[in-house]
Amino acid sequence: MEPTPEQSPHHAYPDHWEADVVLRDGGTARIRPITTDDAERLVSFYEQVSDESKYYRFFAPYPRLSARDVHRFTHHDYVDRVGLAVTIGGEFIATVRFDRINDQGRPASAPADEAEVAFLVQDAHQGRGVASALLEHIAAVARERGIRRFAAEVLPANNKMIKVFRDAGFTQQRSFEDGSVHLTLDLEPTAESLAVQRAREQRAEARSVQRLLAPGSVAVVGVGRAPGGVGRTVLRNLLGSGFTGRAYAVNTSFPEETETVEGVPAHRSVGGIGEQVDLAVVAVPADRVPEAVADCGEHGVQGLVVLSAGYAERGAEGRERQRELVRQARSYGMRIIGPNAFGIINTSDAVRLNASLAPESPKAGRIGLFTQSGAIGIAVLSGLHRRGAGLSAFISAGNRADVSGNDFLQYWFEDQGTDVALLYLESLGNPRKFTRLARRTAAVKPVVVVKGARHSGANPPGHAVPVSRIPDATVSALMRQAGVIRVDTVTEMVDVGLLLAGQPLPDGPRVAILGNSESLGLLTYDACLAEGLRPRPPRDLTTAAGPGDFRDALGEALADRKCDAVIVTAIPWVGENGEAETGDGEVLAAALREAAATGPAKPVAVVHVEMGGLAQALAVAASTATPPGTRPAASTATRPATSTATPPGTRPAAPIATEPGARAADPEPPAPSPAPAASGGRSEGTAPAAPPEEVDAAGPPAGRIPAYPAAERAVRALAEAVKYAQWRRQAAAPGRVPEFLDDTIDEHGTAGLIETLLGPDPDPRGRPLTHDEARELLARYGVAVRPALPAPDPEAAVAAAGTLGYPVALKTTAPHLRHRADLGGVRLDLANENALRRAYAELTDLLGSPAELRPVVQAMAPRGVDTVVRASIDAAAGAVLSFGLAGAPSELLGDTAHRLVPATDRDAAELIRSIRAAPVLFGWRGAAPADTAALEELLLRVSRLVDDHPEVVSVTLEPVVVATQGLTVLGASVRLAPPPARSDLGPRRLPSY
């Protein structure tokens, strides 16, 4: 909306306050500033508010608004007087307003930093979390305008509004004055307010996904009159899956006399159905989609699956069409999967939804699958089907203009019907949020990700999201930090998913190998070493071994306390007649299941070669579908309540620590909390977690053993399970930032220095700091950079050495020679004036004039290991801390480790130890170990600097010489810039691309 002439040009309409939000029930609404054009909407809204709500707002009967009231509530300066409205379908459902006041409660202007706030929510929309969302947004607006406190007067009987304030997590004071409750809220965000905000976000977004996956009724819009076509195909698939709800066929071209299509009611519009429709599958040409969306929105449809193509994948015009589609759907409170989607599937017995182009629904199981590609989705579905795997849900989101992988992480976090989440992603719309959600979800169940378009430097067609410029290796490291299992191919994703869904997590890397082929055992042994596992020598059962021998050997291996996992290798065995037996795979599968069922809970995988019947038999055993005769575990994507009992035929496994720390105090009725998981992350039941000895830590069903056609694939899947299990154990006790750092950090002084260095009108591109400026800034965070004095001529070099003291180093600072000792740009251990003059002459004769070289003199540092520490801010991913050895290891070989900021003491320790060249720091080849404790402290100080001051967009310390005691920072470069916007802070809002 544009500002009207009545509004001051200095206070133009703040369109950045506009936001789409997900409400508690999963619907969406729009929050925007109120303008002078809203008079009629305000009057209409007020007329629909009950007398009781009006009384609570004005403390007296107030049946209607006067013209003066309407003018006052629609005319704002957007600084001292601000009003926001929540709209659905363009109409108001709630409003909030603040007026800046002084100490006496009278209207005021800045620098007064307090405002009086008041809310009004239409009765029909109370209980949907509207006021809570409004409070988040109006508080952010107030902070932007220099307001630090809200004051509110609430009648004691208005319990709902009191609860909104009380549960927001802000620091507050309450008193009872003149018959009303006086509330004062400090608007500075707190850890509690952020936790409350994120807990509400999780419940709302999970609920919005649940509404899509578990509809009570589905309308397929665009069903053809003749067999064939996308719409008709989807309708047939929906009916073929045994959908438990009501289905409708919709096509504006249906003849009036057409009553049914494929046996379901046929209508010319959604409005003509005359009953509630929860989900609409849209399969019409792109130019007709707006008409279909309007029809759905005006008649209460809750969500859309848009299969239609012709959007952002078609270029600029298509991107604008896609944005308009999202705006239109959200204006009606609907969320969208798509456009250009393949569809969604929910195998829950209470729903049985196949609203996709997949002709056959997968088996019911406990793996959730999200893809951004229909072709990849088809391939993965096929692969899972061949291996007998079952799914809890399948989503192919296409261009994912609205609902994304982040939303499904929110949903799967608490979905008790899903044990493992598999995601194929081609772009990350909000990497900061993804890593936060993935870390939380991975603490209770595995998250396996394949990232496509890793090296293109651009998003695939159709993905209108910000592009991150950080290297793929950094993305992978950050995913690992968040507990995500990052694999390279969809085949690996399926391999890992099957193991995690069907087997308990290993306690360590010790692997027993047994089988009837010495060669296959050796291949498996070598693969284990290559993946960093600790295999025991393979046990050769010989080719004469039968199923009973396999059973006994597997039982012994599982019982061995020195073994954490078992890989069974099998080739056809030799029968009594001397011929190879290839048809007894079922017998071997039964023997292996028997041993696994009776032994301790440890992961078992099978590598088979030409074993007739074994792969099929183990596919049944390895199926993640619910065993026959048992009821499926409860899932939040089911309409009726179902049993949460553990399926019969399960074996116990040691519990793995779940998410570190308790979940944030929840002001609203809490959602079921996942219990500690024993297998690949399953959470059974909804009761609060019991002590470890009381937890019913049900493991995976006995005998469900994944089979692999190659040793390398089985070992790689097991290695990922080992690393994930280790991450889970570590996540139970998160690291911390040592308190001693606070004594040597001047946060306030640094903020003032940065403000001075940037100036009153900073360049958006930022500016690099000089050597002295960088030294001063870093020193305020306890990072001492050894001074380097300029040496424009030999005399200046000698004078600098006299100031610093011999021995000294002479080095160039020209960009093309910096840190390039191999090119002769650095001369070390110059013990006296003669040596310094000789080095200066050699340097200038060899490489160029002093003006080109920019030489400096620096005192020598104690000998040690040269390292490099970096921190940088990526607009999409956030602040990243990096570490490596200086020179070839990091620059040529890419041997660099990365962690998200803020880094903990554990992150700093892992950074140092996770590079391949780490042994150099720990006494390699008999050398004295470097002072890694000092290095960890330096990493934490740099992390704290960029976390406290987002204006510090880049820091490089190179080289950092780490000696046996202490370290020396010889070079530093710092860049300042206005801080980039943070999409993961501030009030909840849906992304808008």
Side-chain angles (χ1 to χ4, degrees):
M1 292 188 177
E2 298 296 330
T4 68
E6 298 179 60
Q7 295 166 347
S8 166
H10 299 292
H11 306 145
Y13 179 82
D15 54 9
H16 63 287
W17 293 351
E18 296 181 354
D20 293 311
V21 297
V22 183
L23 302 178
R24 185 185 305 164
D25 61 359
T28 65
R30 185 159 187 80
I31 296 177
R32 65 167 177 82
I34 297 174
T35 73
T36 55
D37 295 332
D38 290 321
E40 291 185 8
R41 294 185 185 90
L42 180 66
V43 171
S44 175
F45 156 72
Y46 194 77
E47 289 174 350
Q48 298 177 64
V49 175
S50 69
D51 291 340
E52 181 183 49
S53 295
K54 293 173 181 175
Y55 186 87
Y56 285 153
R57 168 64 176 86
F58 293 103
F59 290 21
Y62 215 87
R64 64 187 57 84
L65 295 175
S66 66
R68 182 178 179 182
D69 292 330
V70 172
H71 184 276
R72 182 163 62 96
F73 293 149
T74 56
H75 286 69
H76 305 94
D77 62 10
Y78 302 128
V79 176
D80 300 325
R81 302 182 313 281
V82 172
L84 301 181
V86 182
T87 67
I88 294 179
E91 299 301 320
F92 286 9
I93 65 166
T95 62
V96 64
R97 173 188 172 90
F98 76 66
D99 293 89
R100 196 188 301 259
I101 57 175
N102 58 21
D103 294 340
Q104 290 75 43
R106 306 289 296 173
S109 298
D113 60 359
E114 184 171 339
E116 189 174 36
V117 66
F119 295 75
L120 185 59
V121 180
Q122 207 174 86
D123 296 66
H125 295 277
Q126 292 179 10
R128 301 184 64 197
V130 175
S132 299
L134 261 183
L135 179 55
E136 291 177 19
H137 283 261
I138 197 68
V141 168
R143 289 193 296 269
E144 181 182 327
R145 296 311 194 202
I147 292 171
R148 298 290 173 260
R149 291 181 306 281
F150 272 162
E153 300 290 337
V154 186
L155 289 174
N158 192 358
N159 294 318
K160 292 180 180 179
M161 199 66 240
I162 293 175
K163 189 175 188 302
V164 168
F165 287 120
R166 185 187 67 222
D167 293 344
F170 293 119
T171 303
Q172 59 184 269
Q173 295 178 341
R174 285 190 291 174
S175 61
F176 189 77
E177 303 174 7
D178 301 326
S180 66
V181 178
H182 180 77
L183 293 161
T184 302
L185 276 72
D186 186 338
L187 300 183
E188 187 66 26
T190 65
E192 182 182 357
S193 68
L194 186 60
V196 167
Q197 177 179 313
R198 288 178 173 173
R200 287 172 172 164
E201 175 191 64
Q202 188 275 325
R203 276 194 312 279
E205 293 180 358
R207 174 60 179 158
S208 72
V209 170
Q210 182 186 350
R211 298 203 319 177
L212 293 165
L213 286 178
S217 55
V218 176
V220 182
V221 182
V223 174
R225 289 174 289 176
V230 173
R232 193 81 168 228
T233 300
V234 171
L235 180 61
R236 285 183 173 177
N237 295 342
L238 178 67
L239 300 176
S241 66
F243 178 53
T244 60
R246 303 181 307 278
Y248 305 96
V250 176
N251 189 327
T252 56
S253 300
F254 280 153
E256 299 249 348
E257 62 273 14
T258 302
E259 296 184 356
T260 63
V261 172
E262 299 287 348
V264 303
H267 299 274
R268 298 173 60 123
S269 68
V270 172
I273 293 174
E275 297 180 9
Q276 172 65 40
V277 174
D278 297 328
L279 177 70
V281 181
V282 180
V284 300
D287 59 351
R288 291 177 50 199
V289 168
E291 176 187 350
V293 172
D295 183 25
C296 293
E298 290 168 3
H299 295 95
V301 174
Q302 296 179 347
L304 303 173
V305 177
V306 180
L307 309 183
S308 311
Y311 288 89
E313 76 278 7
R314 298 288 178 84
E317 182 180 349
R319 279 194 295 274
E320 185 52 41
R321 184 183 299 121
Q322 183 167 296
R323 293 189 184 103
E324 183 54 38
L325 168 64
V326 174
R327 285 193 291 264
Q328 183 187 14
R330 288 179 180 174
S331 73
Y332 290 110
M334 299 184 293
R335 300 212 67 184
I336 297 176
I337 290 180
N340 197 24
F342 187 75
I344 60 175
I345 297 174
N346 179 4
T347 63
S348 167
D349 192 54
V351 182
R352 298 200 296 272
L353 172 74
N354 181 1
S356 78
L357 295 172
E360 184 178 353
S361 291
K363 298 177 182 178
R366 307 188 64 81
I367 295 176
L369 173 62
F370 176 91
T371 79
Q372 292 180 357
S373 162
I376 295 296
I378 295 170
V380 176
L381 281 177
S382 177
L384 289 169
H385 177 74
R386 285 196 306 271
R387 300 176 69 175
L391 293 179
S392 59
F394 164 74
I395 307 94
S396 178
N399 295 1
R400 66 146 190 77
D402 180 24
V403 177
S404 69
N406 284 350
D407 295 287
F408 281 91
L409 284 176
Q410 299 276 39
Y411 168 72
W412 280 325
F413 169 67
E414 63 180 21
D415 178 35
Q416 296 177 37
T418 301
D419 289 341
V420 180
L422 308 183
L423 298 96
Y424 170 78
L425 306 175
E426 293 178 344
S427 60
L428 296 175
N430 189 339
R432 295 177 196 249
K433 185 175 180 179
F434 175 81
T435 53
R436 170 169 60 86
L437 301 185
R439 176 187 289 273
R440 185 189 58 190
T441 304
V444 294
K445 61 187 67 173
V447 177
V448 187
V449 171
V450 175
K451 177 69 170 62
R454 292 179 294 168
H455 304 297
S456 66
N459 288 321
H463 295 242
V465 298
V467 177
S468 175
R469 298 301 179 186
I470 59 177
D472 181 69
T474 307
V475 173
S476 184
L478 300 183
M479 285 189 178
R480 291 284 182 187
Q481 182 187 5
V484 173
I485 301 171
R486 168 80 182 272
V487 294
D488 293 329
T489 68
V490 291
T491 300
E492 290 179 16
M493 179 174 69
V494 173
D495 287 345
V496 175
L498 287 176
L499 180 69
L500 292 170
Q503 295 293 302
L505 292 176
D507 290 332
R510 301 170 300 179
V511 182
I513 304 169
L514 61 93
N516 61 352
S517 168
E518 182 180 7
S519 298
L520 192 54
L522 290 174
L523 286 174
T524 305
Y525 182 87
D526 291 342
C528 286
L529 291 176
E531 292 293 338
L533 300 177
R534 292 165 52 190
R536 302 179 63 185
R539 179 179 176 181
D540 183 13
L541 303 179
T542 76
T543 55
D549 300 309
F550 275 88
R551 180 192 60 228
D552 296 341
L554 178 56
E556 293 173 12
L558 290 173
D560 187 349
R561 294 187 177 182
K562 296 180 181 179
C563 162
D564 300 313
V566 182
I567 296 179
V568 178
T569 63
I571 63 172
W573 58 83
V574 179
E576 295 180 358
N577 60 359
E579 295 182 0
E581 298 283 349
T582 60
D584 287 339
E586 296 87 348
V587 180
L588 178 57
L592 295 177
R593 289 199 302 269
E594 180 183 350
T598 57
K602 298 177 182 179
V604 178
V606 171
V607 178
H608 66 93
V609 177
E610 297 298 330
M611 285 292 295
L614 177 62
Q616 292 79 5
L618 284 177
V620 175
S623 171
T624 55
T626 305
T630 65
R631 299 191 56 163
S635 168
T636 55
T638 59
R639 290 188 298 277
T642 56
S643 170
T644 60
T646 302
T650 60
R651 57 191 175 109
I656 298 295
T658 58
E659 185 176 17
R663 292 180 66 184
D666 198 337
E668 301 167 13
S673 299
S679 66
R682 183 175 312 170
S683 300
E684 305 284 359
T686 58
E693 65 274 9
E694 299 176 9
V695 173
D696 179 16
R704 296 182 179 179
I705 303 171
Y708 302 88
E712 295 79 9
R713 289 173 58 179
V715 170
R716 191 173 296 117
L718 179 59
E720 295 294 351
V722 168
K723 287 183 281 190
Y724 170 68
Q726 181 182 12
W727 182 89
R728 282 272 290 265
R729 288 188 290 269
Q730 293 175 343
R736 62 183 182 87
V737 177
E739 296 181 0
F740 72 87
L741 289 182
D742 296 333
D743 298 333
T744 54
I745 288 176
D746 181 10
E747 183 176 349
H748 180 74
T750 303
L753 176 60
I754 290 173
E755 185 177 359
T756 300
L757 292 172
L758 281 175
D761 187 21
D763 186 338
R765 297 171 296 178
R767 56 157 295 208
L769 300 189
T770 65
H771 175 74
D772 290 339
E773 290 171 340
R775 286 189 65 230
E776 181 182 2
L777 179 70
L778 292 167
R780 293 176 183 266
Y781 269 68
V783 178
V785 181
R786 181 153 293 203
L789 302 182
D793 54 56
E795 300 306 322
V798 170
T803 301
L804 298 173
Y806 290 98
V808 297
L810 177 67
K811 53 188 181 181
T812 66
T813 60
H816 66 289
L817 294 172
R818 185 175 295 161
H819 310 309
R820 292 298 307 273
D822 56 316
L823 297 181
V826 179
R827 305 301 170 93
L828 304 176
D829 285 319
L830 305 176
N832 51 52
E833 180 179 338
N834 290 336
L836 176 59
R837 289 183 180 276
R838 185 167 56 252
Y840 197 100
E842 292 173 353
L843 202 66
T844 53
D845 290 344
L846 179 65
L847 299 175
S849 68
E852 296 174 303
L853 302 182
R854 307 175 197 172
V856 296
V857 175
Q858 197 169 43
M860 285 295 299
R863 293 287 185 180
V865 180
D866 288 1
T867 65
V868 56
V869 174
R870 292 189 176 93
S872 60
I873 294 182
D874 180 83
V880 178
L881 182 68
S882 305
F883 170 77
L885 298 191
S890 59
E891 295 178 14
L892 179 62
L893 304 178
D895 187 16
T896 306
H898 312 273
R899 291 294 185 274
L900 283 175
V901 170
T904 66
D905 54 356
R906 172 173 290 167
D907 292 328
E910 290 176 351
L911 263 177
I912 296 171
R913 291 159 177 81
S914 59
I915 60 173
R916 297 190 298 277
V920 174
L921 294 163
F922 293 91
W924 185 56
R925 288 187 172 180
D931 190 349
T932 54
L935 187 54
E936 291 172 16
E937 180 181 335
L938 175 67
L939 288 165
L940 291 170
R941 290 182 184 276
V942 174
S943 169
R944 176 76 182 274
L945 171 65
V946 297
D947 188 46
D948 289 347
H949 306 284
E951 299 89 351
V952 182
V953 296
S954 174
V955 175
T956 299
L957 307 181
E958 183 180 12
V960 178
V961 183
V962 189
T964 55
Q965 289 189 349
L967 56 78
T968 307
V969 180
L970 295 182
S973 60
V974 178
R975 186 174 186 84
L976 301 182
R982 290 288 301 270
S983 58
D984 58 330
L985 299 178
R988 291 172 283 162
R989 64 172 60 214
L990 288 171
S992 179
Y993 304 124

